[in-house]
Each structure stands twice: as structure tokens, then as C-alpha cells.
Amino acid sequence: MDTISSTETSFRDATADDVPVLVALVESAYRGDASRAGWTTEADLLDGQRTDPEGVEAVVTDPASRLLVVERGGRIVACCQLEHRGAHAYFGMFAVSPEIQGGGLGKVVIAEAERLVHAEWGATEMHMTVIRQRDELIAWYERRGYRRTGRMSPFPYGDERFGIPQRDDLEFELLIKELA
């Protein structure tokens, strides 16, 4: 596995040319054996895919969204989706390459995402949904200032675009952070 030699981080919006690399990045962070190298894996909860080229391209081309790409050493190492929803923004499709998880990049990415949606869209809150069984991940977001709302939404059982559930009690919880 290549290591990423440069610690200089740059941000840009994704283009259609980035879609294959972004699909591979998201898959590597959440699904299969490769995801077990990092701590964000969902491999014990879900099999199958996390996203697909059509889903990523839809975010890239949606005028109300942007897919923020993070590069180090000339390689895409992280990404996140930002969607403008009026007074708040939605944060999703967050992935950091498993080989560099735990090194602080995720904190940098989420801080930049919050800064961007506040500065460019005037968003006063960031919203996200997280599988409620992901206690460690939710705790990480809580340390970044997000709060649990107790507002749940169903997992899309039967739609394999979102994965093949390994249990029957999955649901999403809405997390919210006030942006200053």
C-alpha cells in the first residue's frame, strides 16, 4: 500500500473525472476487508456497496450540492458531500482513506466543511444522519460539537444501492451542530 508522503492538504470541488476514484475511496472506508484497516468500517453491519458511480456523479452534478475533495501528495485521500438545504447544510458521503485514519485529517475536513457552508451558503446548522448503532462514530461527531437529536429515519432495506444489511434493526439518527 502506498503511503502518503506529503502532509500538505488541499481542498477542491470534485469533477466528473474524479468519480471512479471517489467511489473507490468511499467503498474502501466503509465496506469489505480494506475498510477494516481504518476505524470507520461498517463491514459488520452491512455488506455490498456503500455507493456507486451514478450516486457520486449525481452529487457532483447537483447544483445544490458540492462534493469536496481532499488531496495530499497529489492523491485524493478524503471527501465529503455538502448539500445546501436553506438555513442548514447536509453533511454526507464523508470518507477518509483507511490507511491514514486516526491521524487528524477527518477533524480538518469537517472543520473546513463547516466553514464553507457557513461562509458560502450562510448555513447556521450542519445536519447529518448516522446509523444509530455506530456508537464510536457518533461519539467522534459529539466531540466535534454535534448533538444527537433522537430523531430516527428508517434504513432503506431492500435497496441494495445502500448495502446489504447484516441485521434487521438498522436506522439513521439525525445529528445537528450549530454553526457560529
Side-chain angles (χ1 to χ4, degrees):
M1 206 176 276
D2 294 336
T3 56
I4 297 151
S5 56
S6 171
T7 57
E8 185 173 330
T9 302
S10 62
F11 297 88
R12 65 175 175 82
D13 287 336
T15 67
D17 291 341
D18 297 320
V19 169
V21 172
L22 292 169
V23 170
L25 171 65
V26 172
E27 293 298 311
S28 75
Y30 292 97
R31 297 288 197 275
D33 288 336
S35 71
R36 295 181 193 280
W39 68 274
T40 61
T41 185
E42 296 172 343
D44 294 330
L45 298 174
L46 294 153
D47 242 346
Q49 70 179 32
R50 178 62 150 53
T51 192
D52 56 32
E54 295 78 19
V56 174
E57 189 165 348
V59 174
V60 170
T61 59
D62 182 345
S65 288
R66 59 194 297 186
L67 191 53
L68 193 61
V69 169
V70 184
E71 292 180 316
R72 278 191 178 166
R75 284 185 47 210
I76 295 175
V77 295
C79 67
C80 67
Q81 170 192 5
L82 302 171
E83 187 176 320
H84 191 192
R85 296 184 177 176
H88 76 270
Y90 179 79
F91 180 82
M93 209 179 292
F94 184 30
V96 175
S97 178
E99 67 195 58
I100 60 171
Q101 287 179 15
L105 180 59
K107 295 175 195 172
V108 172
V109 174
I110 199 166
E112 176 63 7
E114 293 164 356
R115 186 197 70 75
L116 276 173
V117 301
H118 184 68
E120 296 184 13
W121 294 337
T124 57
E125 291 181 340
M126 184 79 89
H127 291 199
M128 70 175 71
T129 54
V130 179
I131 295 174
R132 75 167 170 85
Q133 288 83 357
R134 302 286 319 276
D135 294 327
E136 186 179 3
L137 183 58
I138 290 171
W140 187 87
Y141 285 122
E142 287 177 313
R143 291 191 299 275
R144 314 273 94 63
Y146 287 80
R147 65 178 169 76
R148 298 182 83 155
T149 64
R151 290 168 37 200
M152 304 295 172
S153 56
F155 185 85
Y157 283 93
D159 188 342
E160 291 188 6
R161 290 178 305 161
F162 300 99
I164 302 167
Q166 301 302 297
R167 49 194 287 179
D168 62 6
D169 63 343
L170 299 178
E171 59 185 349
F172 295 104
E173 182 171 2
L174 175 66
L175 305 182
I176 295 177
K177 180 178 182 178
E178 306 287 330
L179 302 177

